[in-house]
Amino acid sequence: MIRIKNLIKDYPMGRETFRALHGVSFHIAQGRLAAIIGQSGSGKTTLLNILGGLDTPTAGEYWLDGKLVSQFDQVDWSHERNHTIGFVFQSFNLVPALSARDNVAMPLIYRRAPLKTRRRLAEEALRQVGLGDRLHHRPTQLSGGQQQRVAIARALVGNPPLILADEPTGNLDSHTGEEIIELLRHLNRQGHTVVIVTHSPEVASQCQEIFRMQDGRLVASEATG
Amino acid sequence: MSWSDALRVAWSGMWGSKLRSLLTMLGVIIGVAAVIVLVAIGNGASQAVSSRIETLGSNLLFVTPGGGTTFTASQVAAIQHELPMTALVVPELNSGGKVSSGTTVGPAALTGTTPQYPALGGISIAYGSFLTAQNLTALQHVAVLGANQALTLFNGSNPVGEHITILGQTFRVIGVLNPVGQGPGASQDNTIFIPLPVAEFLVGSDSLSNIVVKTSSPTAASLADSLLTNLYTNQYGANAVTVASEDQVLSALSATHATFTDLLAGTAAISLLVGGIGIMNIMLVSVTERTREIGIRRALGATREDIVLQFLLESMTISLTGGLIGIALGFGLMRLSPLILKSPAVFSPDSVVLAFVFSTAVGLGFGLYPAIKASRLDPIDALRYSG
C-alpha cells in the first residue's frame, strides 16, 4: 500500500535549511494497521503530511497504491486524496456551519457524485460509526468523541483503501479515545489499511506494526501479528 | 466539483451570514438602482425635448445678433420686407429684475415683445388677454404673467387687474398664461411679458435679444434660413448674425441632455464600483475566516480550481442577487419619481443591461483576487489555522 524510499524533507529556516526527515524508508502492506510513534519534533507529522500528499518530499520516492506519487502535482494529488486516502485529524476539522451529514458527504462533492447518492452514502457511513441518529446535528451540538466519529465517517464515506489518522485520540479522554481506536481497528478488519500517528505507546501497542521516529530518522520498526 | 454543487456551496456560504451578505449587497443594490433611475430621469428630460421637436415641427427661426451687431425694432420691418407676407416676425427683448406684488417679492425674467408673440405657438392664455397693439402704441404699463409668476406673486388667485412693481415701476396685470410645463419652454412659466417699447424704456436700451420668425412650413423655414443668412453675411460679414432653426436649437439642447444623462450614469457607475470594493473587502474577510474550511476541503480532494470556483461563485452570487434586487428597486423608484420630480422618467432597457453586466463584472472582477488568494493557501497551514 505504502512504500517510501530514502525520503528527505528540508525546510528553509532563514539562511539555513532544517532537515526534518533524513532519508526514511519503510513499507506498509495492504490491510495492515500501523502506528508511527515518536515525540514532538521527531518528524512524524512531516512524514504524515507527505504520506497524505499535503506536503512534497525534497528527495526520495513514494509509492502509494502502486503509483509513484512523489512527483504528483496538486491536481493529481487532490484526486489521489479524494479517492485513495481518508483523513482523521486530532482536532476533528469539521466545518462548523454544516450538519454532520453534509460534513461526511463533503469528499463525494469532489467526485461529482449526485446529491442523492451523497446523502445516502453519508447516512450509511454515519450509521456505521453509530451516529445514525445525529444526521442533522451541527458539530458544536456533538461531544468530542461524537465529532471524531463524524470525522471517521467522513474518512470512510468514499471507501478509500487507506486511512491516515493524525493523533486521533489527542483531544479526547482516555475512555473515548479507546472507543475511537476500537472503531479504527474495526475499519482495519473490514480491509482498510490504517496508519495512526501518535505519541501514545498504549495506542501504538494495539497496532500490528510500529515505526518509531526520532530526530527525523526511523530508529525502530517492529511487527506484531 | 460540478457547477450545481459549486453554486450550492456558494449559496450556503452567502446564506450562512445573511446580515453581512445583505450589507455587502447593499452597495451593488444602490449602484444598480441608481443607474436605472438616473438614466431614466435623464432620458425623460431629453425625450421631452425631442417630442417638442416633433409636435412643433421646425418652422421657427431664431435670428440672434452677435459680434458687435445690434438689432432694433426697425430690423423687424426689414426682415418682414425680405420674406413673404405669410411669415410672422416677432422681436424679443429679454431682461430680468425684481418683481413685487406688494406681499411677495421675487426674481422674474422679463420679455418685451409684440402682440404676435402667442402666434409663435407653445403658449396659451389662462385668464385675461395677451398684449394688444394699443398697449404698445400707448406705451401702457401692462404685464402678462407666466404661470409660475402668477402662482408665486398672487398665490394662485386670479391676478388680472391687480398691480405689480417691476424694477420700481407699476404695471397692471392684464393676463396670465397656462403652464407650459417641462421642456425647453419651461422658462416661459417664469417670464413676465410686457410691451416692447415699455421694455426698451425700462431696460434703457433698444437693442433686441433676438427675433423669432415663423414660416408656414419647414420648407419655407429652410428657404428663409438661407435668405436671411445671405442677407446678413452681405450686410455685416460672416457669423455676425446667427440664424438657427428651432430643431437646430432643440437638438443642441438635446445633446446637452444626453451629456447630462451620461454624467448621471457615470456617477451611478462609480457607486457600483464602490459596491464592488465592498464585495472584495468582505470576500477577503471571508477567506481568512474560512481558512480552516479551505484546508479541510483541500485535504478531502478539492483542487485549487475548485476553491477558486467556490469563492468566485460566492462573490458573483452576492453581486448578481444585489443586481436583481437593485433592478427591482430601480423600477420601484422610477414609478415613484413623478411624485417627487415632476419630470417623467423614461425607462431605458439599455440601463438594465448595463447594470446587470456591470454587477456581474463587479462580482467577477472583485471576487477574483480573494478567490485566488484562497486557492493559494498551503493546506497544512490552513488546517492548523486557528482564527
Side-chain angles (χ1 to χ4, degrees):
Chain A
M1 188 73 220
I2 291 176
R3 183 186 295 279
I4 56 173
K5 232 165 109 184
N6 226 356
L7 222 52
I8 290 171
K9 180 64 187 179
D10 290 335
Y11 289 111
M13 299 273 271
R15 280 186 205 164
E16 324 244 312
T17 54
F18 169 72
R19 179 152 290 187
L21 293 179
H22 296 259
V24 178
S25 308
F26 64 64
H27 171 236
I28 299 172
Q30 179 149 14
R32 301 292 278 176
L33 173 62
I36 298 172
I37 190 166
Q39 301 191 328
S40 59
S42 62
K44 62 182 195 303
T45 300
T46 304
L47 186 57
L48 186 87
N49 284 338
I50 291 174
L51 293 182
L54 297 172
D55 208 347
T56 49
T58 310
E61 285 179 5
Y62 173 16
W63 297 79
L64 174 65
D65 205 19
K67 285 160 285 192
L68 179 65
V69 294
S70 31
Q71 299 309 322
F72 267 19
D73 65 12
Q74 63 97 8
V75 175
D76 291 336
W77 255 122
S78 297
H79 182 267
E80 203 61 29
R81 280 197 295 270
N82 191 241
H83 286 79
T84 313
I85 304 172
F87 282 97
V88 179
F89 302 95
Q90 177 175 2
S91 49
F92 322 136
N93 276 333
L94 301 173
V95 177
L98 299 181
S99 67
R101 185 180 66 181
D102 288 349
N103 264 291
V104 171
M106 195 180 276
L108 303 176
I109 290 180
Y110 301 104
R111 276 187 201 188
R112 294 168 172 257
L115 185 65
K116 274 188 181 168
T117 313
R118 295 203 302 259
R119 291 198 167 148
R120 183 172 51 78
L121 290 175
E123 283 165 21
E124 267 172 33
L126 278 166
R127 271 196 290 277
Q128 225 180 315
V129 298
L131 290 175
D133 55 346
R134 296 282 192 279
L135 300 179
H136 304 291
H137 285 58
R138 297 285 163 98
T140 47
Q141 297 168 313
L142 299 171
S143 71
Q146 288 172 327
Q147 289 187 49
Q148 195 60 300
R149 281 167 187 272
V150 173
I152 291 172
R154 182 178 65 187
L156 66 87
V157 70
N159 199 26
L162 174 65
I163 289 177
L164 290 180
D166 182 11
E167 302 275 14
T169 61
N171 281 4
L172 302 173
D173 63 68
S174 57
H175 175 68
T176 317
E178 200 55 47
E179 287 177 359
I180 293 299
I181 294 300
E182 188 42 53
L183 186 54
L184 289 171
R185 287 173 56 135
H186 173 70
L187 295 179
N188 175 245
R189 284 194 294 275
Q190 289 186 327
H192 296 276
T193 308
V194 177
V195 178
I196 303 173
V197 167
T198 182
H199 64 268
S200 152
E202 294 86 60
V203 170
S205 68
Q206 300 181 61
C207 298
Q208 300 157 347
E209 294 185 42
I210 301 174
F211 299 96
R212 190 175 300 278
M213 296 288 297
Q214 197 180 321
D215 299 328
R217 289 183 174 83
L218 184 65
V219 291
S221 60
E222 30 189 293
T224 60
Chain B
M1 186 160 48
S2 70
W3 279 90
S4 61
D5 285 327
L7 265 175
R8 196 174 289 124
V9 170
W11 184 261
S12 68
M14 192 184 84
W15 202 245
S17 41
K18 290 181 207 61
L19 179 65
R20 192 162 81 183
S21 302
L22 189 73
L23 288 174
T24 312
M25 250 179 238
L26 214 52
V28 179
I29 293 174
I30 292 172
V32 167
V35 167
I36 290 174
V37 172
L38 293 181
V39 167
I41 290 171
N43 267 349
S46 45
Q47 227 171 65
V49 176
S50 31
S51 70
R52 205 174 137 85
I53 296 177
E54 281 159 25
T55 52
L56 283 186
S58 54
N59 44 359
L60 289 188
L61 284 181
F62 296 89
V63 185
T64 315
T69 349
T70 51
F71 277 3
T72 58
S74 63
Q75 197 70 32
V76 175
I79 293 176
Q80 190 77 71
H81 178 73
E82 236 10 82
L83 299 176
M85 286 306 286
T86 49
L88 188 68
V89 184
V90 181
E92 282 185 52
L93 197 163
N94 296 325
S95 181
K98 211 197 280 179
V99 59
S100 151
S101 64
T103 49
T104 318
V105 181
L110 291 177
T111 295
T113 188
T114 59
Q116 285 78 29
Y117 187 90
L120 294 175
I123 61 164
S124 57
I125 296 289
Y127 306 113
S129 60
F130 200 75
L131 306 170
T132 62
Q134 205 215 332
N135 294 150
L136 267 73
T137 50
L139 292 177
Q140 285 169 350
H141 280 45
V142 291
V144 176
L145 304 183
N148 280 351
Q149 286 297 344
L151 201 67
T152 4
L153 292 172
F154 294 99
N155 207 13
S157 64
N158 185 351
V160 174
E162 302 287 337
H163 287 85
I164 57 173
T165 312
I166 305 171
L167 294 170
Q169 299 206 21
T170 306
F171 283 74
R172 185 166 53 86
V173 177
I174 57 163
V176 176
L177 300 182
N178 280 316
V180 178
Q182 283 301 310
S187 59
Q188 288 163 331
D189 286 345
N190 293 315
T191 303
I192 295 175
F193 297 89
I194 56 177
L196 179 63
V198 178
E200 288 171 353
F201 187 69
L202 199 66
V203 174
S205 160
D206 62 353
S207 171
L208 297 177
S209 307
N210 60 320
I211 296 172
V212 187
V213 178
K214 188 183 186 187
T215 56
S216 52
S217 69
T219 333
S222 64
L223 201 70
D225 189 344
S226 46
L227 246 150
L228 290 176
T229 306
N230 276 339
L231 171 75
Y232 287 119
T233 310
N234 290 339
Q235 204 170 331
Y236 302 107
N239 299 326
V241 175
T242 319
V243 182
S245 62
E246 187 182 36
D247 59 351
Q248 282 171 321
V249 172
L250 288 181
S251 52
L253 203 62
S254 190
T256 315
H257 277 294
T259 313
F260 177 66
T261 307
D262 289 349
L263 227 116
L264 286 178
T267 312
I270 288 173
S271 75
L272 250 181
L273 201 71
V274 174
I277 295 170
I279 289 182
M280 181 142 148
N281 197 5
I282 276 307
M283 288 312 293
L284 284 172
V285 171
S286 173
V287 166
T288 308
E289 272 183 0
R290 286 151 72 189
T291 297
R292 205 165 174 126
E293 178 190 326
I294 294 163
I296 295 168
R297 288 182 184 274
R298 290 299 309 279
L300 299 183
T303 59
R304 282 187 178 156
E305 292 72 21
D306 288 330
I307 301 294
V308 169
L309 191 66
Q310 176 186 338
F311 282 92
L312 206 54
L313 279 180
E314 190 168 324
S315 68
M316 286 186 66
T317 308
I318 289 178
S319 73
L320 273 181
T321 311
L324 290 176
I325 297 176
I327 288 171
L329 183 70
F331 268 103
L333 288 176
M334 219 168 64
R335 294 243 161 160
L336 285 178
S337 69
L339 302 179
I340 308 156
L341 281 168
K342 277 201 280 182
S343 74
V346 176
F347 163 70
S348 136
D350 289 0
S351 69
V352 173
V353 174
L354 179 87
F356 200 73
V357 167
F358 216 94
S359 60
T360 313
V362 157
L364 198 67
F366 288 97
L368 199 60
Y369 173 68
I372 287 176
K373 198 180 159 185
S375 77
R376 300 265 163 212
L377 288 171
D378 178 12
I380 299 173
D381 293 340
L383 280 167
R384 260 192 232 126
Y385 180 86
S386 51

